Amino acid sequence: MLRQVLHRGLRTCFSRLGHFIASHPVFFASAPVLISILLGASFSRYQVEESVEHLLAPQHSLAKIERNLVNSLFPVNRSKHRLYSDLQTPGRYGRVIVTSFQKANMLDQHHTDLILKLHAAVTKIQVPRPGFNYTFAHICILNNDKTCIVDDIVHVLEELKNARATNRTNFAITYPITHLKDGRRPSTTSAQ
């Protein structure tokens, strides 16, 4: 009995709703479009906030004040002689971390060759754009010789590969600074 009453009531309500929608087709065809346009227009003022610090830290937090004080007392050398990945501030740079599946020595000949092949593959990347092909040399940081600055660990691995190729056994990687054949002393702390 209750089921029949509910069934009859729902059938009557939906019949009237269908009749109302059918008698006003312009409104029900245009209303969803207008609502979508109005709600979509709010995205025109949408701005992406890229600063995580701005999103998570209060405007006048003690950490920001202390960081500004430290930066004013101990300025970071942002010259072209340093890689941006050595800096502690966020920016647009990338770094690849290479690990071994078998927890093997990353300085053995096989892994050294693979890392140097990966480095060569990254430096040979080209991005074709209309009218111009961008290469790694177009976006890298240049030193005074107008060549790309390369991370110190790559120089150490190249020297290690050359020492193995010439059967030189006197080349040793020391921590935190390694002495290369050409007199440079790159830091090996980036190899961690």
Side-chain angles (χ1 to χ4, degrees):
M1 174 90 173
L2 180 63
R3 195 179 90 183
Q4 290 174 351
V5 171
L6 285 175
H7 180 67
R8 194 175 306 134
L10 287 175
R11 186 177 61 193
T12 305
C13 288
F14 284 125
S15 173
R16 288 181 184 166
L17 177 66
H19 182 22
F20 181 74
I21 291 172
S23 61
H24 301 90
V26 175
F27 173 76
F28 284 100
S30 61
V33 174
L34 291 174
I35 291 172
S36 297
I37 290 172
L38 289 175
L39 294 176
S42 66
F43 282 112
S44 66
R45 293 183 304 225
Y46 177 73
Q47 295 176 351
V48 176
E49 180 61 50
E50 294 181 2
S51 172
V52 176
E53 178 182 326
H54 180 72
L55 292 172
L56 300 177
Q59 185 67 23
H60 300 290
S61 68
L62 186 59
K64 287 183 179 180
I65 295 168
E66 289 175 353
R67 187 198 56 219
N68 290 336
L69 177 65
V70 169
N71 285 342
S72 68
L73 295 175
F74 306 101
V76 177
N77 181 10
R78 295 180 190 263
S79 67
K80 291 188 175 185
H81 300 289
R82 295 188 58 83
L83 290 173
Y84 284 124
S85 59
D86 294 339
L87 303 176
Q88 300 303 318
T89 55
R92 294 182 179 180
Y93 58 85
R95 179 164 279 203
V96 177
I97 299 174
V98 181
T99 60
S100 173
F101 286 121
Q102 296 90 15
K103 303 289 182 195
N105 183 1
M106 295 302 290
L107 297 176
D108 67 2
Q109 186 171 2
H110 174 70
H111 288 101
T112 302
D113 291 343
L114 287 176
I115 292 170
L116 291 175
K117 281 182 186 177
L118 176 65
H119 174 70
V122 168
T123 57
K124 290 179 183 176
I125 291 176
Q126 290 187 357
V127 178
R129 300 301 294 170
F132 194 74
N133 285 340
Y134 289 97
T135 64
F136 181 78
H138 291 105
I139 60 171
C140 72
I141 302 170
L142 302 175
N143 59 14
N144 292 337
D145 302 336
K146 302 295 183 199
T147 59
C148 292
I149 296 177
V150 178
D151 203 353
D152 291 335
I153 192 63
V154 174
H155 294 298
V156 171
L157 293 177
E158 287 172 346
E159 186 74 23
L160 183 63
K161 183 178 179 180
N162 292 338
R164 285 189 182 126
T166 59
N167 290 330
R168 224 177 45 201
T169 58
N170 60 351
F171 179 72
I173 298 175
T174 57
Y175 181 84
I177 295 176
T178 298
H179 300 279
L180 296 179
K181 181 173 58 173
D182 59 0
R184 287 183 294 126
R185 297 174 53 181
S187 170
T188 55
T189 56
S190 63
Q192 293 181 358

